[in-house]
Amino acid sequence: MNEIELKFEITNRQIADLTLFLNQWVNCDAAEYIDSGQTQPRISQLILLNTYYDTPDYYLRNNGCGLRVRVSEQGSSQHCEMTLKRDSQSIAGLHQRAEYNIDLPSPNLDITALPKAALPKDCDINQLQNHLKPLFSTNFKRQAWLILFANSEIEVALDQGEIESNGTKLPIQEVELEIKQGNKQDLINFAIELARFDLHLFSQSKAARGYRLLKNQPINHSEINLSCQQSLPDILKFWQQNEEYALANNDLNFYQHTLQQVQQALLEKGVFIEPEFNQWQHALQSIKSVSDFAYSEVNTKLKLMLLAQNNR
């Protein structure tokens, strides 16, 4: 199956308000589901323990694949699952990739259970199985809401925990929106509804952050010079990569220069989304903090509306 999701970072101060909003939304949906006779739970809480595997020379990573075994704990029940994701595409925080999920009887890795099409072409499955090693883990609590919006069913997940490799840790404090049924436009439009909670679009998957932690690699900034010749996805990728670099390094001067380049490229390209673009331009004049602006509604909303325009 193909996975399509939007990924965000969220601050501590917004978690309670977001949770209340989603609980209220689900409660409004509940009557419709009771009337239709459906009993699927709309809110769930899980503990997810994930171990990521690769060879010592990163064969899977170098071939565009990510492999994990997940143990899901809900109350007294436990479920084990192997997942391989590949062919990832990301624009800003919009992620699309092929995903293969296989139930396992235990947390022991067994890639022979995967369909052949999931793995890199011409790989020796038995040889690969013997060379795979656990590299890092991502362990977190997940609160999830199943939301009805327009013509789609969207899962919103709040993940709080940590990535760990070689005794070093990175925090996880993310919100993910994934299409369960429906279309990408509804996904983006519902994310626009949530922009009021100061969510920051995030281009890095948990696996990508785990590999960076494993290799002790910093976030790099984009070296390209923006112009009207760049496509809208290229502008968004430049904006997102440099914003995440500025956040990691708390570099306000660099961030302001990035946003000026983005503004000029959008103007030259004739991309106008009113009134959001005007509001964003006005806000550029008084930036005092990288994080405050990166997480602001006006910044996130404009990026989402540009994603929506690119999706049309």
Side-chain angles (χ1 to χ4, degrees):
M1 61 175 280
N2 287 324
E3 177 187 59
I4 302 175
E5 67 178 17
L6 279 163
K7 188 182 293 290
F8 301 87
E9 294 178 300
I10 186 171
T11 61
N12 283 325
R13 66 179 181 270
Q14 291 289 354
I15 288 175
D17 287 344
L18 174 68
T19 299
L20 178 61
F21 176 84
L22 293 170
N23 285 341
Q24 290 173 339
W25 191 293
V26 167
N27 287 336
C28 289
D29 289 342
E32 178 179 341
Y33 268 75
I34 290 172
D35 291 344
S36 67
Q38 297 189 48
T39 59
Q40 183 179 7
R42 314 303 293 174
I43 302 176
S44 60
Q45 296 193 44
L46 304 166
I47 295 175
L48 302 178
L49 310 173
N50 309 275
T51 303
Y52 285 77
Y53 291 83
D54 207 338
T55 64
D57 61 353
Y58 307 126
Y59 172 80
L60 290 176
R61 183 70 172 170
N62 293 334
N63 281 276
C65 299
L67 177 66
R68 73 166 185 240
V69 171
R70 166 172 288 176
V71 179
S72 305
E73 297 179 353
Q74 187 171 27
S76 59
S77 66
Q78 190 178 85
H79 176 247
C80 299
E81 182 181 63
M82 175 175 58
T83 296
L84 187 138
K85 299 183 182 184
R86 62 174 302 164
D87 304 326
S88 178
Q89 302 175 47
S90 176
I91 303 174
L94 180 65
H95 300 258
Q96 301 180 70
R97 55 211 158 196
E99 178 178 283
Y100 302 86
N101 298 302
I102 302 294
D103 290 340
L104 294 174
S106 74
N108 296 320
L109 181 69
D110 179 14
I111 64 167
T112 63
L114 287 165
K116 189 173 181 180
L119 293 162
K121 187 179 179 181
D122 300 329
C123 86
D124 185 319
I125 294 177
N126 291 322
Q127 185 180 44
L128 179 59
Q129 173 78 33
N130 292 332
H131 284 85
L132 289 170
K133 305 293 181 186
L135 298 184
F136 56 88
S137 63
T138 65
N139 302 319
F140 49 91
K141 294 180 181 178
R142 167 169 287 180
Q143 187 166 0
W145 297 261
L146 208 52
I147 300 289
L148 296 176
F149 182 78
N151 298 311
S152 298
E153 189 173 61
I154 298 167
E155 182 184 73
V156 182
L158 170 65
D159 294 341
Q160 299 178 83
E162 59 192 18
I163 303 168
E164 182 173 4
S165 179
N166 296 327
T168 306
K169 297 179 181 180
L170 286 174
I172 295 171
Q173 194 159 288
E174 300 173 357
V175 176
E176 295 181 356
L177 280 66
E178 181 179 350
I179 299 172
K180 292 303 182 182
Q181 298 180 54
N183 62 79
K184 197 188 305 181
Q185 194 64 47
D186 286 347
L187 179 75
I188 296 171
N189 287 340
F190 186 68
I192 291 171
E193 292 279 337
L194 300 186
R196 71 189 75 173
F197 298 104
D198 295 343
L199 302 175
H200 170 244
L201 272 163
F202 199 45
S203 67
Q204 302 172 58
S205 68
K206 294 180 181 71
R209 294 180 73 206
Y211 275 101
R212 276 204 304 106
L213 182 63
L214 178 68
K215 300 176 183 179
N216 194 29
Q217 290 179 333
I219 296 174
N220 294 320
H221 59 80
S222 175
E223 300 287 352
I224 69 170
N225 292 315
L226 276 186
S227 74
C228 61
Q229 302 303 314
Q230 260 84 38
S231 66
L232 186 54
D234 286 339
I235 294 171
L236 284 164
K237 286 180 180 180
F238 172 89
W239 184 354
Q240 190 66 33
Q241 185 175 348
N242 282 0
E243 188 168 85
E244 291 176 12
Y245 173 87
L247 278 166
N249 294 279
N250 195 26
D251 192 333
L252 181 57
N253 288 334
F254 175 83
Y255 188 41
Q256 289 173 317
H257 181 62
T258 290
L259 295 175
Q260 289 165 4
Q261 290 179 278
V262 169
Q263 177 184 223
Q264 188 61 35
L266 291 175
L267 287 169
E268 290 178 359
K269 202 165 186 64
V271 177
F272 301 111
I273 297 174
E274 305 299 352
E276 286 76 17
F277 187 53
N278 274 343
Q279 292 168 351
W280 181 81
Q281 286 184 291
H282 181 72
L284 291 185
Q285 300 171 24
S286 56
I287 299 176
K288 295 182 174 63
S289 159
V290 177
S291 60
D292 284 352
F293 193 82
Y295 281 80
S296 68
E297 179 179 2
V298 68
N299 190 57
T300 298
K301 196 171 183 180
L302 179 60
K303 279 196 273 188
L304 288 167
M305 295 191 80
L306 290 169
L307 280 171
Q309 187 174 95
N310 184 67
N311 186 55
R312 293 191 184 108

